[in-house]
Amino acid sequence: MVKLGIISDTHITKNDEPNIAETLINQLKEVFKDVDEIIHAGDVCEPFFLEDLKNIAPIRCVKSDLDEITGLETFIKFHVENYNIGVIHKKPDNLEDFFKRNNLHILIFGHTHQPLIAGTPYNTLLINPGSPTKPKAPIPKRGFEKPIARPSVITLKIDEDNILSTFVINIKKT
């Protein structure tokens, strides 16, 4: 079994109040306490926060347009059990072509600050963890109550039978 902690759009800088990063890391220590790896889908902003995350679990991270971190790629791909997983900050326009071209089963992305776990018509999975620091409410749907913006991350578990379990986890506002 493999369990991933998925996060994006933390937007943590040294100019923030010092307790914001510390409060978030303390929450993530609890939420991600049993993950094998943390996946960050960009907009970290400054390298010190990645170093803090590395104290929880090994980390993979992609670069966004706001990140001031050297050595990060804009797209990474890795394999877990029977799944090819891609990570990018901004979801590509032509998703089906992107999935086929990169031979992906799962795409993790950020940018929208809205959590999403969704299948596609071409048998792939989209995962967006939202943002733990600057969440945006999902798009309203007729017949449902008005959505509320909640800070969030996601966990993804792949068990011995290659069955996926994904959970949106709301955390406290930092």
Side-chain angles (χ1 to χ4, degrees):
M1 182 190 81
V2 175
K3 186 172 182 183
L4 304 175
I6 303 172
I7 189 169
S8 186
D9 298 286
T10 47
H11 294 275
I12 299 289
T13 70
K14 290 186 178 178
N15 293 331
D16 293 329
E17 292 179 35
N19 68 329
I20 290 177
E22 183 180 341
T23 300
L24 179 56
I25 286 295
N26 287 336
Q27 289 186 68
L28 294 175
K29 283 179 183 174
E30 181 61 30
V31 171
F32 290 161
K33 67 181 171 202
D34 58 349
V35 301
D36 298 297
E37 192 169 1
I38 297 172
I39 309 300
H40 199 302
D43 275 355
V44 179
C45 291
E46 293 185 18
F48 78 91
F49 190 72
L50 279 184
E51 293 303 316
D52 289 345
L53 285 175
K54 286 179 188 174
N55 291 325
I56 300 171
I59 186 160
R60 292 182 205 245
C61 182
V62 293
K63 185 177 182 70
S64 75
D65 53 337
L66 297 178
D67 288 321
E68 297 179 15
I69 303 168
T70 57
L72 297 179
E73 301 290 330
T74 56
F75 172 72
I76 57 174
K77 178 180 163 181
F78 59 101
H79 190 80
V80 176
E81 301 298 335
N82 286 348
Y83 297 99
N84 292 330
I85 301 172
V87 185
I88 196 166
H89 181 63
K90 190 174 178 186
K91 182 175 72 170
D93 291 331
N94 187 338
L95 266 178
E96 185 174 11
D97 180 60
F98 188 81
F99 272 104
K100 286 179 181 176
R101 191 169 10 101
N102 291 289
N103 189 27
L104 297 176
H105 302 106
I106 301 168
L107 181 64
I108 297 168
F109 67 99
H111 190 63
T112 66
H113 295 226
Q114 299 166 319
L116 172 77
I117 300 169
T120 67
Y122 31 95
N123 199 28
T124 55
L125 183 64
L126 295 171
I127 298 176
N128 184 328
S131 172
T133 57
K134 299 177 185 290
K136 291 183 182 174
I139 297 168
K141 292 184 181 179
R142 196 173 60 158
F144 289 87
E145 291 183 16
K146 182 180 176 190
I148 299 169
R150 291 187 171 98
S152 61
V153 296
I154 286 181
T155 58
L156 167 65
K157 183 170 71 171
I158 304 172
D159 74 11
E160 304 80 27
D161 297 319
N162 286 301
I163 295 174
L164 299 174
S165 302
T166 55
F167 298 94
V168 174
I169 300 168
N170 293 120
I171 61 172
K172 295 177 185 171
K173 218 169 191 166
T174 53

